[in-house]
């Protein structure tokens, strides 16, 4: 569908500043539509013969629409729409005339000229016409509320014709402005309430004001109600500014656990300040939800912190147990469990420090990798390197992936560069980065090294763990491996991670483990590697 700007640029000679003004009107005219109980159509002239094009439309939320179908893009001309021509050429609001029928709906048509004030603040020329079309099929004797709305609507219509409505926008106002139905208060030139809609009355009641608003000095009332004196003064100043003809920014008033959003608009038809319009909305629930979200976030982080602590306690208990058992095999098994638990704790620790359920994974890999070289029972010093980046990973991928990498890294160090005598005795751990004491069996000139590389390609994470060690044992079959390590790897990769893993001989000796993991929950087809 064409936008207001597209239509205006294509069919008219309006200047960019004119079109901007029409945009401002379309951004703020729901207010006028609701107060008028009428559809508003924005018409721009397309020739000198009284032909107009509709570039925007808004329906009232307070009354039935006069148009079931969309009017944007409609071109009209001739005697039927003479009222648009009158408003445009004579620059005055046109409101006489008999009801007209649109389909089977009787409607009253009015026309409001749209003026853009000059940079000097003088009334400029008419650039467009707002058609105000009321569906009369449900019309009846208006109530007190309706009369008040209509009077205010007429003031705003006059301000459109003067070029003083809509007021300038305040940057950074993100919450949607209160609407007519949320609560409306009208003030006279002295700042006294002349009318308050039932919803407005209720909103003030929640702030602790139970009496009738009519007759109250609203600025003084805001100052009294606000829990914080500074807020009270601000809210009061906003009202006073509107009474002077300025358009203050929206303000919030907090009192007795309730929050009310207010928007004050000056009323000055024909340039005469006659009072102000104050729209109010009870946003207590919105603010309560905001606060709840912030607390929820903090709670999740706290839980990760506790999970990490608990896992570290489990690791410490296992470590204690390992020191007590005499059987070397049992001790090694317990020590391995300590490392497995500790690597999961690492992910929770990282999650407890981030604000969302995702982690910067590179730091975790680097820590797991250096732990693997430190604890592995080898006599050589194995270098560790990471190539590429894992990026930010969602928590559910990170927890499984860290365990998989932990196993693959430990295997690379332990089986790629085993102790010379292959005995079960526990040699002193060697620190990473040291000059190798014993070179790998295969080639004495090669420095023992494990490389973890990662890259993302088409929503898949590709990871390889490569070592230049002595290679897989002859006739090795990963599927048949009965030990725990590769079983954990396979279970996590095909289960939680829904990816693939392959263990094979490296291109230049050694071993490489190739892992492909889909990053999106519903990964597209093509799990093959590029
Ligand atoms: N990078 C590697 N280089 C050489 N052999 C490897 C490598 N990775 C795995 N292997 C072989 O695969 C076997 C199975 O590995 P797996 O991790 O399942 O068991 P493990 O490391 O022996 O014991 P654990 O359960 O403590 O991990 C290893 O015993 C080893 O022979
Ligand atoms: Mg292993």
């Amino acid at each position: 569908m064409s936008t207001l700007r597209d239509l205006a640029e294509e069919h008219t000679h309006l200047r960019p500043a004119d079109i901007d003004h029409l945009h401002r009107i379309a951004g703020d005219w729901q207010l006028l539509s609701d107060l008028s109980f009428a559809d508003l159509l924005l018409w721009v002239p397309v020739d000198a013969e009284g032909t107009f094009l509709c570039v925007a439309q808004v329906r009232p939320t307070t009354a039935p629409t006069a148009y079931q179908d969309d009017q944007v893009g409609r071109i009209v001309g001739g005697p039927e729409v003479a009222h648009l021509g009158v408003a445009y050429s004579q620059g005055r609001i046109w409101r006489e005339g008999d009801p007209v029928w649109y389909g089977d709906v009787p409607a009253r048509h009015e026309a409001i000229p749209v003026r853009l004030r000059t940079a000097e603040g003088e009334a400029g020329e008419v650039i467009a016409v707002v058609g105000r079309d009321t569906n009369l099929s449900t019309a009846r004797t208006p109530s007190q509320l309706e009369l008040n709305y209509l009077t205010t609507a007429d003031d705003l219509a006059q301000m459109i014709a003067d070029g003083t409505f809509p007021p300038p926008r305040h940057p950074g106002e993100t919450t949607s402005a209160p609407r007519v139905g949320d609560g409306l208060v009208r003030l006279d030139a002295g700042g006294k309430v002349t009318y308050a809609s039932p919803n407005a009355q209720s909103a003030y009641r929640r702030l602790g004001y139970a009496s009738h608003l009519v007759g109250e000095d609203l600025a003084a009332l805001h100052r009294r109600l606000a829990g914080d004196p500074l807020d009270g003064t601000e809210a009061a100043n906003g009202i006073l500014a509107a009474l002077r003809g300025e358009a203050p920014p929206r303000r919030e008033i907090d009192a007795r656990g309730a929050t009310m959003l207010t928007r004050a608009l000056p009323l000055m038809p024909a340039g005469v300040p006659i009072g102000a319009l104050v729209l109010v909305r009870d946003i207590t629930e919105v603010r309560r939800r905001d606060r709840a979200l912030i607390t929820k976030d903090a709670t999740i982080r706290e839980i990760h912190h506790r999970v990490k602590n608990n896992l570290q306690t489990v690791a410490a208990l296992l470590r204690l147990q390992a020191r007590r058992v005499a059987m070397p095999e049992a001790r090694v098994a317990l020590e391995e469990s300590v490392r497995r638990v500790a690597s999961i704790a690492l992910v929770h620790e990282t999650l407890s420090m981030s604000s969302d359920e995702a982690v910067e994974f590179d730091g975790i890999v680097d820590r797991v990798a250096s732990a693997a070289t430190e604890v592995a029972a080898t006599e050589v010093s194995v270098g560790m390197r990471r190539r590429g980046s894992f990026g930010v990973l969602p928590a559910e991928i990170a927890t499984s992936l860290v365990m998989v990498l932990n196993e693959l890294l430990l295997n690379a160090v332990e089986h790629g560069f085993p102790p010379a005598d292959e005995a079960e005795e526990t040699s002193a751990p060697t620190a990473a980065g040291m000059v190798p004491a014993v070179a790998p069996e295969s080639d004495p000139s090669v420095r023992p090294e494990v490389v973890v590389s990662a890259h993302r390609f088409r929503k898949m994470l590709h990871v390889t763990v490569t070592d230049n060690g002595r290679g897989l044992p002859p006739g090795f079959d990963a599927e048949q491996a009965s030990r725990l390590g590769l079983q954990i790897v396979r279970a996590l990769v095909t289960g939680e991670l829904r990816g693939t893993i392959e263990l094979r001989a490296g291109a230049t000796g050694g071993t490489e483990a190739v892992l492909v993991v889909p990053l999106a929950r519903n990964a597209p087809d093509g799990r093959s590697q590029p």
Side-chain angles (χ1 to χ4, degrees), residues 301-317:
R301 264 176 300 176
E302 177 59 21
I303 289 172
H304 281 302
H305 183 74
R306 288 181 185 199
V307 170
K308 180 215 75 173
N309 283 351
N310 290 348
L311 288 172
Q312 285 180 341
T313 309
V314 172
L317 288 173

Side-chain angles (χ1 to χ4, degrees), residues 4 7-8 11-12 14 18 22 25-26 29 39-47 50-58 67 69-78 80-85 87-88 102 108-115 126-133 160:
L4 190 165
L7 286 168
H11 297 278
T12 72
L14 289 171
D18 298 335
L22 297 184
I25 288 189
W29 67 352
D39 291 73
L40 301 181
L41 307 182
L42 188 54
W43 298 100
V44 292
V46 290
D47 59 21
T51 312
F52 289 87
L53 165 71
C54 179
V55 293
Q57 171 183 17
V58 66
Y67 300 100
D69 44 351
D70 195 70
Q71 301 292 302
V72 175
R74 189 172 150 213
I75 292 181
V76 296
E80 192 193 330
V81 291
H83 62 294
L84 297 178
Y88 185 73
Y102 185 79
R108 184 177 57 240
H109 284 182
E110 295 170 85
I112 303 157
V114 175
R115 245 193 216 89
V126 176
I127 57 172
V129 178
V130 169
R132 177 160 70 161
D133 302 340
I160 286 184

Side-chain angles (χ1 to χ4, degrees), residues 11-46:
H11 297 278
T12 72
H13 298 294
L14 289 171
R15 299 158 302 174
D18 298 335
I19 299 176
D20 285 345
H21 187 65
L22 297 184
H23 259 289
R24 271 201 300 281
I25 288 189
D28 228 347
W29 67 352
Q30 181 76 55
L31 176 62
L32 178 61
S33 173
D34 288 347
L35 289 171
S36 307
F37 307 100
D39 291 73
L40 301 181
L41 307 182
L42 188 54
W43 298 100
V44 292
V46 290

Side-chain angles (χ1 to χ4, degrees), residues 336 340 407 411-412 415-416 467 471-473 476 483-486 511:
E336 256 159 31
R340 283 172 180 142
E407 295 304 327
N411 278 357
H415 304 301
D467 66 66
L472 292 163
F476 172 80
R483 303 289 307 263
L484 191 57
L486 287 180
T511 307

Side-chain angles (χ1 to χ4, degrees), residues 332-333 336-337 339-340 407-418 450 465-473 476-478 481-490 503-504 510-513:
V332 170
E336 256 159 31
S337 299
R339 285 198 291 277
R340 283 172 180 142
E407 295 304 327
L408 295 177
L409 288 165
L410 282 172
N411 278 357
V413 175
E414 285 179 349
H415 304 301
F417 315 102
V450 178
V465 178
T466 317
D467 66 66
N468 57 357
R470 67 167 178 182
L472 292 163
F476 172 80
D477 180 3
S482 59
R483 303 289 307 263
L484 191 57
L486 287 180
Q487 277 181 36
I488 293 178
V489 169
R490 223 164 341 142
L503 223 62
R504 61 189 183 205
T511 307
E512 73 182 2

Side-chain angles (χ1 to χ4, degrees), residues 185-186 192-196 201 209 211-217:
V185 180
R186 192 180 158 125
K192 295 260 189 314
V193 176
T194 58
Y195 176 76
Q201 194 73 56
Y209 182 77
S211 328
H212 265 291
L213 282 162
V214 174
E216 275 293 327
D217 179 335

Side-chain angles (χ1 to χ4, degrees), residues 3 17 67 70 76 85 100 103 106 191 221 235-236 271 278 281 284 320 328 365 367 405 407-408 411 426 517 530:
T3 64
Y67 300 100
D70 195 70
V76 296
V100 290
L221 179 66
V278 182
R281 177 153 60 113
T284 311
L320 267 178
V365 175
R367 283 171 71 180
L405 288 176
E407 295 304 327
L408 295 177
N411 278 357
T426 44
V517 173

